[in-house]
Amino acid sequence: MVMRSSLLFATVFLAACLQSGYATVVTATVPDTIASAPTMNSTSITACGVRVNWQAPSDDGGKPILHYTIYGTGGGTVAKKLAVVQGAATNTFFVTGLSRTTAYTFQVTSTNEIGESGKSDASISITSQNFRKYIFVSDYVNDRILRFDFATKTFVDVFVQKGSGGLRGPWGIAFNKYDDSSQPRTFYVASEGTKSVLQYDACDGTFVKTFARVPGQPRGMKFHLLPSAHTPPRQQKMLLVCSAYTDSVLKFNALTGSPLGTYATGVDTPWDLVIGPQTYGVARDPEDIFVSSEHEDAVIQFQNTTGAFKAKFTDKKVNYANGLVFGTHEQTSHLYVTGPYAGKVIVKFDQNNGTYIEHFEDREMQYALGMVYNDRTLYVNDKNTIRTYDAETGEFLEVWSSHDGMHGSYLLFHDM
């Protein structure tokens, strides 16, 4: 009889004989083999990809499982290798980079040091979704993140639930553009009450972990490539975070959250930051960084790679400067700034030299905070509403959407 123990040895009693008054036992070892195939569980569609689930193989072949490999069939490809998932204990993976509105089936193999198993049975066919554009809003008072559908201008859901992962007082929000080239896998929220940046699943908003501790309370943040501290420096993926009460902008490793020091100092209560255009201006280098200062009522410009101070936009005072954004169209290539005590206005500056151009007034505006730009239109968080303006003329367009009880602080566009 052959039995495989947890150490994967089988002892087979072949013969016993009496010699010199004792019995001799002859043993043999069953050789190690490749593992059997995993068993497919359900696959599920999400807003930004397909989650594939499986069970570990019933027989690991006598050697620990090293990794699993996911194959997909669909869109003109057959059994294409999509991902290698490390670790025997892992039994789920989120697949991105699929063709949109395309039917797929999935199979999984297991690999030990002997080799790769055969493929599992195919999953049920599942059709990937098309991209949709959303606006995400930090609901500061209610400790949550809301999602609005861009096409229908309607509230969709609470993307990050109230207090999830300890979230208290959410400010800046960002999807990590560096963790997956096809579709960001992680979503980050600046949490004032915990003095940290919290990490969430980018597809369903579930809490993952505390990503980084931020002294002085975090506000706005952006992912950006900057020179590392190596000699010579090399481009490193970083997360820049405004630290409100240390009057600085801090650097963190974009993939691990490890602190990397200070990018810029001397900004009295920095609130938000934006990365400038990739072109040269009169007093602007490509991708210079601009930071709004609440207590200086101004915008501060820093040199992209070094964080050295370059200029302060002083032509027009913007009381309690908060939201700021660059326009990208030829007629709207300006820097726009607003704030809750700015006099119900949005101020427009020349993006090349900081010269004041004009301001737009809206007497119905109550408490403007975050602002984003899309297709010559400005979207402004104003308490429980999102208001829109023509970026060229300043004309108020509409209350784009609203949600009872919301107190929005930051906005963010994202396709998923």
Side-chain angles (χ1 to χ4, degrees):
M1 181 170 113
V2 180
M3 299 182 64
R4 193 182 295 277
S5 71
S6 59
L7 295 177
L8 308 201
F9 285 101
T11 302
V12 180
F13 290 87
L14 300 175
C17 62
L18 288 174
Q19 290 184 356
S20 303
Y22 62 88
T24 297
V25 178
V26 180
T27 64
T29 301
V30 174
D32 298 319
T33 65
I34 61 174
S36 59
T39 301
M40 288 297 297
N41 283 345
S42 61
T43 53
S44 57
I45 192 73
T46 73
C48 48
V50 174
R51 187 170 294 282
V52 178
N53 302 287
W54 62 91
Q55 291 180 2
S58 58
D59 183 355
D60 61 11
K63 294 290 185 181
I65 300 299
L66 301 177
H67 63 257
Y68 297 99
T69 305
I70 300 175
Y71 296 86
T73 296
T77 62
V78 178
K80 178 182 178 180
K81 182 185 291 187
L82 300 176
V84 175
V85 184
Q86 301 295 332
T90 306
N91 59 8
T92 184
F93 187 79
F94 187 79
V95 178
T96 61
L98 301 174
S99 299
R100 294 287 163 164
T101 62
T102 301
Y104 283 91
T105 59
F106 300 91
Q107 294 170 288
V108 181
T109 64
S110 53
T111 298
N112 61 18
E113 67 179 52
I114 305 301
E116 183 179 14
S117 75
K119 294 181 178 65
S120 68
D121 292 337
S123 69
I124 62 170
S125 178
I126 195 165
T127 300
S128 57
Q129 295 182 1
N130 207 351
F131 277 113
R132 293 187 69 85
K133 184 183 289 293
Y134 297 94
I135 291 183
F136 292 79
V137 177
S138 295
D139 187 355
Y140 175 78
V141 170
N142 297 296
D143 302 328
R144 59 187 183 174
I145 307 298
L146 309 181
R147 180 166 56 168
F148 294 80
D149 186 280
F150 181 76
T152 63
K153 305 178 183 180
T154 56
F155 170 75
V156 176
D157 58 14
V158 178
F159 184 70
V160 174
Q161 297 298 314
K162 179 180 177 67
S164 175
L167 179 61
R168 286 189 288 135
W171 290 102
I173 49 180
F175 286 88
N176 192 341
K177 63 183 180 181
Y178 297 127
D179 66 7
D180 190 314
S181 59
S182 301
Q183 180 72 44
R185 303 279 297 282
T186 47
F187 175 66
Y188 298 82
V189 181
S191 173
E192 176 186 288
T194 59
K195 296 183 180 180
S196 61
V197 174
L198 304 180
Q199 179 181 324
Y200 299 87
D201 186 288
C203 294
D204 59 21
T206 55
F207 176 70
V208 177
K209 65 180 180 180
T210 296
F211 182 72
R213 298 290 181 184
V214 183
Q217 295 186 0
R219 293 292 188 267
M221 56 187 179
K222 293 288 187 299
F223 286 95
H224 193 43
L225 280 174
L226 288 171
S228 70
H230 299 91
T231 303
R234 55 176 181 256
Q235 290 293 85
Q236 185 169 3
K237 298 169 183 176
M238 298 188 190
L239 175 64
L240 295 178
V241 182
C242 291
S243 174
Y245 299 122
T246 65
D247 297 338
S248 59
V249 178
L250 305 178
K251 300 183 295 185
F252 298 88
N253 184 300
L255 301 180
T256 67
S258 298
L260 298 174
T262 300
Y263 170 75
T265 59
V267 185
D268 193 349
T269 319
W271 198 87
D272 200 5
L273 64 90
V274 292
I275 298 164
Q278 296 182 347
T279 57
Y280 283 94
V282 175
R284 178 181 51 75
D285 293 325
E287 296 190 336
D288 274 354
I289 291 176
F290 298 76
V291 181
S292 58
S293 169
E294 282 188 334
H295 292 164
E296 293 184 70
D297 305 326
V299 174
I300 315 298
Q301 178 184 354
F302 296 95
Q303 203 280 331
N304 171 31
T305 57
T306 66
F309 171 84
K310 291 186 72 172
K312 181 189 293 187
F313 289 16
T314 57
D315 267 15
K316 178 72 174 179
K317 187 175 183 179
V318 184
N319 287 342
Y320 222 67
N322 279 203
L324 75 165
V325 67
F326 278 98
T328 57
H329 186 265
E330 181 181 358
Q331 303 302 322
T332 59
S333 55
H334 310 292
L335 177 63
Y336 300 86
V337 188
T338 192
Y341 305 118
K344 301 179 183 293
V345 300
I346 300 170
V347 182
K348 180 163 68 174
F349 294 94
D350 186 301
Q351 68 172 9
N352 294 309
N353 57 26
T355 302
Y356 165 75
I357 299 175
E358 62 177 327
H359 63 270
F360 311 143
E361 185 175 13
D362 175 11
R363 301 311 301 173
E364 300 301 317
M365 185 186 291
Q366 300 179 66
Y367 198 84
L369 286 174
M371 179 167 53
V372 291
Y373 173 96
N374 182 70
D375 192 22
R376 309 187 208 185
T377 302
L378 298 170
Y379 295 74
V380 179
N381 247 338
D382 186 32
K383 286 193 172 181
N384 70 324
T385 67
I386 300 172
R387 301 173 71 84
T388 58
Y389 303 85
D390 185 299
E392 182 177 357
T393 67
E395 175 190 357
F396 168 70
L397 300 177
E398 63 177 336
V399 174
W400 183 85
S401 193
S402 63
H403 188 67
D404 289 343
M406 178 180 78
H407 197 297
S409 57
Y410 280 75
L411 303 96
L412 178 68
F413 279 109
H414 185 62
D415 295 339
M416 59 192 301

